[in-house]
């Protein structure tokens, strides 16, 4: 273990020197690293280079699906504008609308405040987007069972078939099952080019192009 630690340290030094044009010294160490890697592989071990992680939040619009909805005039201009604003609040890997400073789900009131919008208008637009299947709600079944209705603010998330904050091949399975089961867009006779696919007991769902699915 100590030898591996020393090797990693020397590799870092090699990279620094390589950037400073000291190629001959760096190449010798990199060759040493390759030999060490071969020896490790022979013993069923593997050396892995640590990569810097980029912690920037990002959300990607599923362009073909968004354009498909535009061609069908499925959303109004005001609904599209709110959706684009909401992309900056999506949690990586879940698509939940979260407060960027408090690391928790956003209420509609907080969404209006964060996006500098009027509360009444924001609430109306969100309700319309829920009806159209652009936004979904997480509902706690235990509340319905106990009280006959939902009594707390329901967490909201954006349909990952429209936009997703994360890897399109690793879509949150719980969220995906709800979208697949309650597919309002499909019920409105709009066939999006990219659809969620979830296999029973799989850890994740993924977005699949319909042409590839039919093959």
């Amino acid at each position: 273990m100590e030898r591996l630690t020393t090797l990693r340290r020397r590799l870092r030094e090699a990279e620094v020197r390589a950037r400073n044009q000291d190629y001959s010294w760096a190449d010798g160490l990199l060759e040493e690293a390759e030999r060490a890697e071969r020896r490790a592989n022979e013993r069923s071990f593997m050396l892995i280079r640590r990569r810097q992680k980029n912690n920037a939040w990002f959300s990607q619009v599923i362009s073909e699906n968004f354009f498909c909805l535009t061609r069908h005039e499925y959303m109004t201009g005001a609904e599209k504008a709110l959706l684009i604003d909401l992309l900056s609040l999506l949690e990586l890997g879940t698509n939940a609308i979260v407060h960027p400073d408090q690391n928790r789900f956003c209420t509609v009131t907080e969404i209006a405040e964060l996006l500098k919008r009027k509360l009444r208008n924001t609430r109306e637009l969100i309700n319309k987007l829920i009806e159209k299947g652009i936004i979904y709600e997480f509902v706690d079944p235990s509340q319905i069972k106990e009280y006959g209705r939902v009594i707390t603010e329901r967490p909201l998330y954006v349909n990952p078939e429209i936009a997703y904050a994360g890897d399109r091949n690793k879509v949150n399975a719980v969220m995906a099952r709800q979208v697949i089961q309650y597919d309002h867009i499909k019920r409105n006779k709009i066939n999006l080019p990219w659809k969620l696919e979830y296999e029973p007991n799989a850890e994740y769902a993924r977005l699949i192009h319909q042409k590839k699915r039919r093959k």
Side-chain angles (χ1 to χ4, degrees):
M1 188 67 182
E2 183 178 348
R3 293 178 64 186
L4 286 176
T5 302
T6 302
L7 178 59
R8 290 192 183 101
R9 177 176 56 79
R10 297 185 68 186
L11 278 171
R12 287 194 295 269
E13 293 173 355
E15 290 179 337
V16 171
R17 293 201 179 212
R19 286 194 294 268
N20 293 328
Q21 306 292 316
D22 190 359
Y23 296 111
S24 59
W25 186 88
D27 287 345
L29 274 181
L30 292 175
E31 289 176 5
E32 181 183 342
E34 291 175 358
R35 289 195 295 270
E37 183 177 17
R38 286 195 294 270
R39 290 196 298 270
N41 290 339
E42 290 171 357
R43 299 180 182 181
S44 300
F45 291 98
M46 181 172 59
L47 297 181
I48 300 176
R49 178 178 175 180
R50 180 179 295 175
R51 296 182 180 274
Q52 293 288 341
K53 291 185 178 180
N54 190 325
N55 294 321
W57 282 23
F58 70 94
S59 301
Q60 52 186 331
V61 173
I62 312 304
S63 302
E64 288 184 66
N65 286 358
F66 195 88
F67 183 60
C68 178
L69 295 180
T70 298
R71 293 185 65 184
H72 284 84
E73 299 181 338
Y74 192 65
M75 289 185 285
T76 66
E79 290 166 356
K80 286 181 182 179
L82 176 59
L83 175 61
I84 295 301
D85 279 352
L86 288 173
L87 298 186
S88 63
L89 302 178
L90 299 189
E91 182 180 48
L92 189 65
T94 69
N95 253 29
I97 301 173
V98 297
H99 198 293
D101 300 323
Q102 301 180 25
N103 195 30
R104 58 175 175 75
F105 299 121
C106 266
T107 65
V108 175
T109 300
E110 289 170 335
I111 290 173
E113 292 174 350
L114 288 166
L115 301 180
K116 307 301 180 184
R117 290 171 167 269
K118 293 181 179 178
L119 176 58
R120 180 177 178 181
N121 181 253
T122 302
R123 192 180 300 278
E124 290 175 353
L125 288 173
I126 286 177
N127 286 336
K128 287 291 185 181
L129 291 172
I130 290 173
E131 291 174 7
K132 294 181 178 182
I134 305 299
I135 291 176
Y136 281 79
E137 301 173 285
F138 284 114
V139 177
D140 185 355
S142 64
Q143 290 187 11
I144 298 176
K145 184 176 180 180
E146 185 173 354
Y147 301 102
R149 60 186 178 88
V150 177
I151 61 172
T152 59
E153 190 84 26
R154 287 162 285 187
L156 305 171
Y157 67 89
V158 171
N159 184 341
E161 292 182 345
I162 310 306
Y164 191 58
D167 186 340
R168 291 183 296 178
N169 290 315
K170 292 184 177 181
V171 179
N172 182 279
V174 175
M175 174 179 58
R177 286 198 298 268
Q178 185 174 1
V179 172
I180 292 170
Q181 185 174 357
Y182 304 102
D183 192 341
H184 302 294
I185 296 175
K186 187 175 182 179
R187 289 175 184 174
N188 282 301
K189 299 180 179 180
I190 297 177
N191 296 314
L192 298 176
W194 290 86
K195 298 293 291 180
L196 285 168
E197 182 179 83
Y198 174 73
E199 298 179 1
N201 302 317
E203 184 177 0
Y204 299 104
R206 58 179 181 160
L207 282 166
I208 298 292
H209 199 282
Q210 295 307 286
K211 289 184 179 178
K212 294 182 179 179
R213 179 179 286 182
R214 285 194 291 269
K215 290 182 179 179

